Amino acid sequence: MFGGLKEFVWTRHSQYEIVDPCEFKASDGQLWKFGRRIITTVEAGDDYRPLNDYPNLFRAFANVRDEDALLSFVKQYGPLTDEGRTPSSKNPHFTSKVIMIDGKRLAEIVYVPGDQIDLCLKQAAWCGHILRHHRKASPRMQEMIKELEVRPSICMMDVEPDPVEGVRMILRPSSLLDAIKFQLLASIRSGDTSVECTHCENWFSKKRGAKFCSDKCKDDYHNARRKARRDESLNL
């Protein structure tokens, strides 16, 4: 019945940069504050299929731990959110949407182009927590995920004909970020194991007995331990 993810197409641009925080006062008087963002000033981008081209994209995203790493990720794979695909300038333009129910104004939502850096870093940390603790059905794991304040994923659902079951449900992610989450959970469901490198703590697909993501990390780790032992012996 469930057919998995619809083939996902995303856009990446040739240029991205970080801009400073900004704020906007809505028509209802509420002050909206936005932190540092990653924007593109380029109108046109190239479409590609990230889940097809990068089957381990979720691991690359879980390895993002700071602002510079996030910018490098976006430069390689494109923006994480739909707002990040909207071209902007260093002087942001704001858009707002008023939500009405039964003819009454309920709220006004303000949008600004760009990926919100603090929110995207929380999402990367969320992916790391899932990879690290998904086998542990503990209350602490739930608390950690809640502390990260990660919003739910959003996707559209398509129903397509199926030669065996008649119909099947296909999910269509609304952003690269949501596609990464689906890819991560699909990897866990398939039994694929991700582990953290003992030296650099980056995630990689585990091979039998592997503790390091590369020979370089393995050599650096053992060289550092040998140096620490030499220094300790000299201090005795």
Side-chain angles (χ1 to χ4, degrees), residues 11-27:
T11 305
R12 52 187 169 187
H13 304 81
S14 59
Q15 182 178 339
Y16 295 95
E17 60 184 285
I18 294 175
V19 294
D20 291 329
C22 60
E23 58 184 41
F24 176 81
K25 191 171 186 179
S27 59

Side-chain angles (χ1 to χ4, degrees), residues 4-236:
L5 288 178
K6 185 77 173 178
E7 187 172 19
F8 179 68
V9 179
W10 195 242
T11 305
R12 52 187 169 187
H13 304 81
S14 59
Q15 182 178 339
Y16 295 95
E17 60 184 285
I18 294 175
V19 294
D20 291 329
C22 60
E23 58 184 41
F24 176 81
K25 191 171 186 179
S27 59
D28 60 2
Q30 181 179 352
L31 184 64
W32 290 74
K33 295 184 177 182
F34 300 91
R36 286 165 66 82
R37 295 166 293 121
I38 297 176
I39 66 166
T40 181
T41 57
V42 180
E43 289 289 338
D46 296 323
D47 290 342
Y48 80 113
R49 292 172 171 78
L51 300 185
N52 292 24
D53 296 348
Y54 303 101
N56 295 314
L57 185 57
F58 66 95
R59 293 193 183 98
F61 184 56
N63 289 335
V64 171
R65 297 184 177 92
D66 56 43
E67 187 176 275
D68 291 337
L70 181 62
L71 179 60
S72 296
F73 183 92
V74 171
K75 286 181 176 179
Q76 183 170 357
Y77 304 110
L80 286 155
T81 65
D82 199 43
E83 292 85 356
R85 290 199 297 177
T86 304
S88 181
S89 64
K90 292 185 178 180
N91 297 317
H93 62 274
F94 300 88
T95 58
S96 63
K97 179 180 180 181
V98 176
I99 300 175
M100 306 287 291
I101 295 182
D102 296 330
K104 296 181 180 180
R105 179 188 177 114
L106 180 64
E108 182 177 4
I109 308 297
V110 176
Y111 302 90
V112 64
D115 282 345
Q116 302 287 327
I117 290 177
D118 58 340
L119 298 180
C120 290
L121 289 177
K122 285 182 178 180
Q123 298 277 359
W126 180 90
C127 289
H129 280 310
I130 294 295
L131 289 174
R132 192 176 298 112
H133 300 292
H134 70 88
R135 298 182 186 277
K136 303 174 184 178
S138 65
R140 179 54 187 153
M141 177 186 174
Q142 301 303 320
E143 290 174 10
M144 288 189 297
I145 294 173
K146 186 176 180 180
E147 288 169 5
L148 292 169
E149 300 175 350
V150 173
R151 66 174 178 81
S153 298
I154 299 175
C155 69
M156 295 178 286
M157 183 186 75
D158 290 337
V159 176
E160 295 185 347
D162 183 270
V164 177
E165 298 184 350
V167 293
R168 61 178 178 173
M169 181 178 67
I170 301 292
L171 298 179
R172 189 192 305 273
S174 63
S175 67
L176 180 60
L177 182 57
D178 290 337
I180 287 172
K181 291 181 183 180
F182 284 120
Q183 187 188 58
L184 181 155
L185 296 176
S187 172
I188 291 174
R189 185 180 181 186
S190 70
D192 189 15
T193 303
S194 298
V195 293
E196 286 181 283
C197 176
T198 301
H199 181 63
C200 72
E201 298 183 343
N202 278 348
W203 290 97
F204 67 101
S205 179
K206 184 177 182 179
K207 299 176 182 178
R208 178 176 295 181
K211 296 182 179 180
F212 303 94
C213 64
S214 66
D215 289 339
K216 181 180 184 303
C217 273
K218 181 178 180 180
D219 293 341
D220 289 347
Y221 175 82
H222 290 297
N223 289 337
R225 293 196 66 183
R226 282 192 288 268
K227 182 178 183 303
R229 286 195 293 267
R230 286 197 301 269
D231 293 344
E232 184 178 353
S233 63
L234 291 175
N235 292 330
L236 294 178

